[in-house]
Amino acid sequence: MTRAPAPSQAMDPPPQLMQVSAYREVGNVTEMMSPPRAAGKGTKGTAFYVDIDTHKVVVAPYHLLALLRPSGGPAQVYLAGCAPLQDGMPCIQWSEETQVLGADPAEDVLFLAAPPELRNTPALRLAGNVSMGSRLHGSGYADGKTSLKEFSGDLAFSGSVTEMTDETGLPWRWSARQVYWLRGEGVEPGDSGSPALTTGGLVAGEVVAAGGPWIVVIPATAIRQAWLERTSTSSLMS
């Protein structure tokens, strides 16, 4: 895939966008979310802060938990981001463990508690149905890097997915009721969980996979429905 050009100067990332990582204690060893390819502090995905019907939560890809070894201690999930201070001042970096609020494994959606660092940050808003041909864009922490990389694509069609592969190419089961297929480029491992935004800045969906010229996105309407039908936290963390 063609990489987006690097910006001419470093810029603070938007506070609504953050890195997410999952860990599990296996014996006396902390197992990072497999596969362990990430640069930086083990970060393996992207998450975003969003308002779902007045509930402000963080959305991340469920496969962060699904790819952990099933045996071992309870899973732990961490977020890291950059909180704004005042206009004209650089943001301040933060990192902390967060609470899992629930998930819809079939839709690859994980809901996390918003960290206190975001208390003064306006949340992103979900879009409704998005028209075919719409241009969507976004950015994520590809390969666990601490800098963002952009992606974009045109909404070509919607459909379902019954089997995908993880970031190593190994098969794992996943069945989404509906997904958007974008014809575009720029998504790499680590970008999973990135928000795909409309030109108006609304969240059209969550990026969960890519292959060839295609980017797979869980629609905002499915994220909202997943929040209503979310699985209990205890079953996800064990």
Side-chain angles (χ1 to χ4, degrees):
M1 295 180 181
T2 302
R3 291 181 179 272
S8 58
Q9 64 183 51
M11 299 181 65
D12 289 336
Q16 298 91 347
L17 201 63
M18 61 209 79
Q19 299 165 313
V20 59
S21 55
Y23 299 84
R24 189 187 299 277
E25 295 287 343
V26 181
N28 295 322
V29 178
T30 300
E31 180 199 38
M32 188 181 68
M33 195 283 287
S34 177
R37 290 184 53 217
K41 301 175 182 178
T43 299
K44 287 301 299 177
T46 305
F48 60 93
Y49 179 51
V50 66
D51 188 328
I52 306 178
D53 299 334
T54 73
H55 296 278
K56 294 181 179 180
V57 300
V58 173
V59 171
Y62 174 78
H63 66 252
L64 282 173
L65 295 182
L67 290 174
L68 286 173
R69 191 179 304 176
S71 60
Q76 297 171 287
V77 182
Y78 291 83
L79 292 170
C82 196
L85 294 174
Q86 298 178 6
D87 291 343
M89 297 180 65
C91 65
I92 182 170
Q93 297 288 334
W94 59 267
S95 178
E96 65 176 69
E97 186 175 2
T98 187
Q99 177 188 0
V100 176
L101 302 179
D104 185 332
E107 297 289 8
D108 205 351
V109 178
L110 180 68
F111 299 106
L112 306 171
E117 286 81 2
L118 297 181
R119 65 171 62 91
N120 297 321
T121 298
L124 297 172
R125 294 185 297 120
L126 295 178
N129 291 317
V130 180
S131 301
M132 293 297 117
S134 296
R135 184 73 170 174
L136 302 180
H137 70 279
S139 54
Y141 292 99
D143 274 334
K145 294 182 176 65
T146 56
S147 58
L148 292 169
K149 185 181 69 64
E150 297 178 348
F151 62 85
S152 62
D154 297 314
L155 179 51
F157 62 93
S158 61
S160 61
V161 176
T162 56
E163 183 174 338
M164 299 292 289
T165 59
D166 68 20
E167 294 170 349
T168 65
L170 297 175
W172 59 287
R173 280 290 173 184
W174 182 63
S175 179
R177 288 170 287 206
Q178 182 185 9
V179 297
Y180 289 151
W181 293 84
L182 308 184
R183 184 180 289 276
E185 59 186 16
V187 169
E188 297 179 5
D191 285 324
S192 292
S194 301
L197 304 173
T198 67
T199 54
L202 298 178
V203 177
E206 173 204 16
V207 173
V208 292
W214 299 106
I215 301 171
V216 183
V217 174
I218 300 296
T221 51
I223 294 174
R224 180 178 284 110
Q225 188 63 30
W227 172 255
L228 296 175
E229 300 174 355
R230 60 192 181 278
T231 306
S232 67
T233 302
S234 59
S235 65
L236 298 170
M237 301 300 288
S238 58

